[in-house]
Amino acid sequence: MSGPSPAFRSAVALRDDALAGKLRVAEIVEETLARVARTEPTIDAFLHVDADGARARAEELDRRVAAGEASGRLFGVPIAVKDNICTRSMPTTCGSRMLEGYLPPYDAHVVERLLAEGAVLIGKTNCDEFGMGSSTENSAFKPTRNPHDPTRVPGGSSGGSAAAVAAGVVPLALGTDTGGSIRQPASLCGVVGFKPTYGAVSRRGLVAFASSLDQIGPFGASVLDVAHLASALAGHDPHDSTSAAFEPPDYASLLSRSVDGLRLGVHEDFLEKIKDAGVKERLRAAVRQLRDAGARIVRLDDLDFLTRVGIPTYYLVATAEASANLARYDGMRYGPREEAADLAATYARTRGARFGDEVRRRILLGTFALRAGHKDAYYERACKVRRLVQRAFAAAFERVDLMIGGTSPVAAFPLGRNVTDPVTMYRCDALTVPASLAGLPAASVPCGRTAEGLPVGLQILGPPRADAEVLSCASAFEQLSGRFGDLAPLAVEAAAEGDDA
Amino acid sequence: MSGAAYESVIGLEVHVQLATRTKLFCGCLNVYGADANTNVCSVCTGQPGALPVLNGFALELAVRAGLALGCAIASRTKFDRKNYFYPDLPKGYQISQLERPVNGEGSLRFVNEAGEERVVRIARAHLEEDAGKTMHPDGDRSSLVDLNRAGIPLLEIVSAPDLRTPQEAYRYLTELKRRLRYARVSECDMEKGSLRCDANVSIRPAGATELGTRTEIKNLNSFRNVERALAHEIERQTAVVEEGGSVVQETRTWREDEERTETLRSKEEAEDYRYFPDPDLPEFELEEERVDAIRAALPEMPDVKRARYVGSLGIPEATADVLTADRDAAEWFDACVAALPDGGDAKGVANAVTGVVLALANDQGVSIADLRLTPERLVEVVGLVDDGTISRQAARKVIAELDAGDEAPAEVVERLGLAQVSDEDALGATVDEVIAAQEKVVEDYRGGNENALNALVGGVMKATKGKANPQLARELLIRRLGGAGG
């Protein structure tokens, strides 16, 4: 093979070459499919790969180039889509047996946007069932493995998308973030992940887990690529009543190289109180780099309660909403049905057999939180605390421009370690759920590796609608650290090729 | 113990389908009678990832209904999820309104069976989506679900427990329906399911202020059945109490064929709907200007109209009742009044509308608004009667002809030769002929029989084939024969 393989190049470079006719989209797609074939046996990032669809799409795009009609911000760029986002060309299972074989009758709003921008959909990526989990081990079909160390998890719930980017299979992927499901796997896989402000990206076609928290966002190897995809995704959609009525700017054109004078807030819960020494050390170094580059680091001492109340508040709100959102899976209109003696028994059997343990656990928790007599103490109190969280952040953002800290308190952990201990698993979300509760934009950018060689992510949070500022700071940090992604593809590829040899 | 020892307390929950073009949260058509599952989409079938968007016109109709019922309109409103499982409920929850309903307290004024004016409080009137329809084909173990109805906008109107008799319930419903039809909010057609009613009823010792244990009655498919079911249920509850038992709180169903209510489910099985705010539909403000605009466009309500007809137009109460029973008729009449010259005969027009025009529409099975006959033409015809050009009898024919073609009233009168003979000379000869031919009757009249005069007028009418002006014929006869018994 001559020159660098397309999949190792940035989305922007691929697009520019494809538009200029220097690289045929068909070549990009073939190379991508070849990488899928090489990495999947180790990584298991995909639930569905649409080789025929991608090839047909490449032909169509190449014809446009030949006709001089090629355009699009993501022209010719192969993109992987998390399996809880509806695609009419591919099954959408949400990693659940409940939706096994389900083919949606429509494309999600974001998928329409990708196609309008000239992207090529490669396949659907693995995830924790209905987005419920932090390791992708709750997928009903298979776990995904971390490309940096296949004995470890990629994080979750968007583990498949993070792993596919980290393994260099695709330059960009879509994930969804309810309590950290983009940022945490980005951190564990050493890639850039971005959760936009709640409402910036339409949720139409995103299979709901917790509607007031769910948000679609991009994964990429670099902030620039992520900014391009984030711009393509964002914008008002009249078919989503929670879609914000504002037209976001072109993030990519606003990326800065400097953090000089930027006020960055740091709270000890997001840094000094992290127990994992390797993770803490990388984060301290990142803060030093930013300070040395002229950022003003501001200690925020009065935000203790964010991490203290974050997890319980999040798990009450999210499970309450989930208990209603997942009620539609009753085996009546779509998906498999487990017939039983009568209606109630059919419901019970279908839902009992088709939902996994974690999904059933959360439905039960949410149902309990909304029960008459308990609603005041649980659901409603959680909603009140959530408003306090929003206020606390608002107050903090009067003193600082952005906040920085860890994305995950731990690096990638071995498969199987936390599966039987849901509470330990929930604690993985301690640093990501506060921003979710407040609907804030937040990114995770790689900031080095632990002694074991596992990636660590720096989280950057901004006030609502400061998506451009968050990405700009992420870009500046990326320049400082000299890392453009922290891909693990070579190791994986070497392993795969070694096997072949 | 006599029945009067107990008083019944009744509250009604009425669901009306709003007359929108499309459903409450998606673009599917809101129509009745389409083939099963043809008006459905990803939203109203509850596909994964589908999101609701509120139909602004449904909200407007809900506010319009609220204004027609004197409700306090919420300044902020929101939707809640009501969770329960049923195959005709695609999402496993119904989008409804628990807190902050669009319409708060209001009231409905009507005259009860005893002729007393009653004011019944309305507790709330909120928006929600309809469910689909489940059908259980005979002899088949399977059930069928039609989701065409799923997502159709409903307004649930909940009365306070202010009704005291089944007859009052009937009258309340009649007045409610009339108002909602006036406001063009709903067809309110129970046969098509665009109005449905559940009744809550309890009894208590007459004069007591505490409420007794209530039962809810479902499956009521007509206003008459509401009345009958309530009467039976009150009888049943009274018997239970008189036998020393106590009423159990439960939901009962009306068995029309057996004329009784029976238990559907007890309170122990009652569901906890786990309401919570729908996160897909943020709370929103109902701007005052918007509500004012809806209020300004609201038509005159039937009670106000009726008072105006009786008070300033001098129309008899019974006629005013007929005119205001239906908004189309009242508006048609209003257009007549507008076309009437100063000092014109509003009463005559009212009689023509109620006596002739409504019958004409009824015969054709159309609304009065859909007749070819126009209010302006009717006013002309009434004018022709008043000035003696044609008889009332002939006016009927003219009206029917006007509705069948495009002629002017005068043309019809001319073509059919319906003009009355009002010329004394022309009619005098005929009057003389009738007097000469009917000696016996003339003698009776002269002998003091007033009725004999009518027979002679009839003779003149017959001889002129109905064209004689009966008033003039009568005058000429009296003039020639002298006063009765003269």
Side-chain angles (χ1 to χ4, degrees), chain A residues 102 106 205 325 328 333-334 372 375, chain B residues 46-49 81 90 272 275:
Chain A
Y102 174 71
Y106 70 109
N325 282 331
R328 68 187 63 192
R333 292 164 307 286
Y334 45 77
K375 202 166 120 182
Chain B
Q47 299 295 313
R81 292 183 180 178
D272 172 4
Y275 280 97

Side-chain angles (χ1 to χ4, degrees), chain A residues 85-367:
Chain A
I85 296 172
C86 288
T87 46
R88 60 161 84 222
S89 61
M90 291 179 270
T92 299
T93 69
C94 302
S96 180
R97 297 254 176 234
M98 185 60 94
L99 285 174
E100 205 163 1
Y102 174 71
L103 193 66
Y106 70 109
D107 277 330
H109 178 83
V110 291
V111 170
E112 289 175 356
R113 282 181 175 244
L114 293 185
L115 296 176
E117 295 286 358
V120 181
L121 305 186
I122 291 299
K124 302 299 285 289
T125 57
N126 197 17
C127 56
D128 287 302
E129 188 175 4
F130 288 102
M132 298 179 183
S134 308
S135 69
T136 313
E137 292 165 292
N138 293 335
S139 165
F141 302 107
K142 59 186 180 185
T144 292
R145 290 154 188 277
N146 194 315
H148 294 270
D149 177 353
T151 67
R152 293 175 184 266
V153 302
S157 65
S158 314
S161 287
V165 172
V169 177
V170 282
L172 288 171
L174 291 189
T176 67
D177 190 314
T178 305
S181 284
I182 290 175
R183 291 161 285 161
Q184 187 257 15
S187 175
L188 271 52
C189 286
V191 297
V192 180
F194 177 57
K195 180 195 96 72
T197 298
Y198 182 81
V201 177
S202 169
R203 293 185 295 115
R204 179 161 53 98
L206 156 57
V207 181
F209 156 20
S211 315
S212 73
L213 298 155
D214 294 341
Q215 191 64 181
I216 296 171
F219 284 99
S222 73
V223 177
L224 181 66
D225 277 3
V226 161
H228 272 289
L229 181 51
S231 284
L233 300 176
H236 182 62
D237 173 14
H239 295 102
D240 173 0
S241 307
T242 62
S243 166
F246 80 110
E247 276 310 314
D250 177 16
Y251 304 133
S253 67
L254 297 172
L255 298 183
S256 157
R257 288 168 181 277
S258 167
V259 292
D260 195 21
L262 204 60
R263 295 172 302 165
L264 299 177
V266 180
H267 184 265
E268 59 181 5
D269 284 352
F270 289 78
L271 215 162
E272 290 305 323
K273 289 204 173 162
I274 290 175
K275 292 194 179 81
D276 185 308
V279 170
K280 181 157 57 182
E281 190 38 56
R282 296 320 312 156
L283 291 168
R284 280 178 174 161
V287 173
R288 276 198 303 275
Q289 275 178 308
L290 287 161
R291 181 189 292 132
D292 293 348
R296 283 174 48 204
I297 307 299
V298 181
R299 274 184 54 187
L300 299 170
D301 291 331
D302 48 356
L303 288 177
D304 288 355
F305 93 106
L306 282 184
T307 48
R308 207 172 62 238
V309 302
I311 294 284
T313 304
Y314 170 81
Y315 276 91
L316 284 169
V317 172
T319 59
E321 292 182 13
S323 72
N325 282 331
L326 273 63
R328 68 187 63 192
Y329 308 111
D330 57 4
M332 294 294 145
R333 292 164 307 286
Y334 45 77
R337 179 191 308 166
E338 308 284 338
E339 295 280 0
D342 58 26
L343 181 63
T346 301
Y347 281 143
R349 193 151 151 191
T350 301
R351 291 168 66 81
R354 293 278 164 178
F355 282 140
D357 287 349
E358 183 58 29
V359 171
R360 279 182 296 161
R361 181 180 296 125
R362 295 197 194 188
I363 290 172
L364 287 171
L365 276 172
T367 304

Side-chain angles (χ1 to χ4, degrees), chain B residues 383-415:
Chain B
L384 292 175
V385 173
D386 287 347
D387 70 13
T389 307
I390 55 172
S391 65
R392 279 187 203 289
Q393 217 48 36
R396 278 182 185 274
K397 275 190 206 161
V398 175
I399 290 168
E401 285 296 313
L402 288 175
D403 193 53
D406 289 321
E407 290 169 285
E411 289 168 354
V412 174
V413 170
E414 173 70 27
R415 178 165 60 79

Side-chain angles (χ1 to χ4, degrees), chain A residues 468-489:
Chain A
E469 289 77 2
V470 168
L471 288 169
S472 182
C473 177
S475 171
F477 176 74
E478 185 182 53
Q479 307 260 347
L480 286 175
S481 67
R483 274 170 218 286
F484 294 90
D486 196 1
L487 302 190

Side-chain angles (χ1 to χ4, degrees), chain B residues 8 15 20 22 59 68 76 82 98-99 103 122 145 183 190 229 301 359 393 412-413 431 457 476:
Chain B
S8 49
H15 286 87
T20 54
T22 55
L59 177 67
R76 289 185 74 76
K82 177 180 180 181
L98 179 69
E99 299 162 353
N103 300 307
I122 286 165
V145 178
M190 272 192 120
M301 283 292 119
Q393 217 48 36
V412 174
V413 170
V431 167
V457 172
L476 290 176

Side-chain angles (χ1 to χ4, degrees), chain A residues 287-468:
Chain A
V287 173
R288 276 198 303 275
Q289 275 178 308
L290 287 161
R291 181 189 292 132
D292 293 348
R296 283 174 48 204
I297 307 299
V298 181
R299 274 184 54 187
L300 299 170
D301 291 331
D302 48 356
L303 288 177
D304 288 355
F305 93 106
L306 282 184
T307 48
R308 207 172 62 238
V309 302
I311 294 284
T313 304
Y314 170 81
Y315 276 91
L316 284 169
V317 172
T319 59
E321 292 182 13
S323 72
N325 282 331
L326 273 63
R328 68 187 63 192
Y329 308 111
D330 57 4
M332 294 294 145
R333 292 164 307 286
Y334 45 77
R337 179 191 308 166
E338 308 284 338
E339 295 280 0
D342 58 26
L343 181 63
T346 301
Y347 281 143
R349 193 151 151 191
T350 301
R351 291 168 66 81
R354 293 278 164 178
F355 282 140
D357 287 349
E358 183 58 29
V359 171
R360 279 182 296 161
R361 181 180 296 125
R362 295 197 194 188
I363 290 172
L364 287 171
L365 276 172
T367 304
F368 183 81
L370 288 173
R371 268 184 60 193
H374 294 89
K375 202 166 120 182
D376 295 1
Y378 296 107
Y379 174 73
E380 285 175 1
R381 186 184 289 180
C383 290
K384 277 179 201 152
V385 174
R386 184 179 185 180
R387 285 191 287 274
L388 295 178
V389 168
Q390 287 162 350
R391 255 181 259 161
F393 270 121
F397 284 122
E398 292 189 357
R399 297 169 53 205
V400 298
D401 299 310
L402 302 168
M403 282 175 64
I404 56 172
T407 304
S408 167
V410 293
F413 44 89
L415 270 89
R417 175 183 284 177
N418 293 335
V419 281
T420 55
D421 182 0
V423 175
T424 303
M425 195 71 100
Y426 295 171
R427 288 208 184 104
C428 292
D429 304 336
L431 307 183
T432 47
V433 294
S436 298
L437 288 169
L440 308 180
S444 180
V445 276
C447 65
R449 298 193 185 198
T450 63
E452 291 159 294
L454 299 172
V456 176
L458 173 73
Q459 189 178 199
I460 303 168
L461 283 63
R465 298 195 183 184
D467 300 48

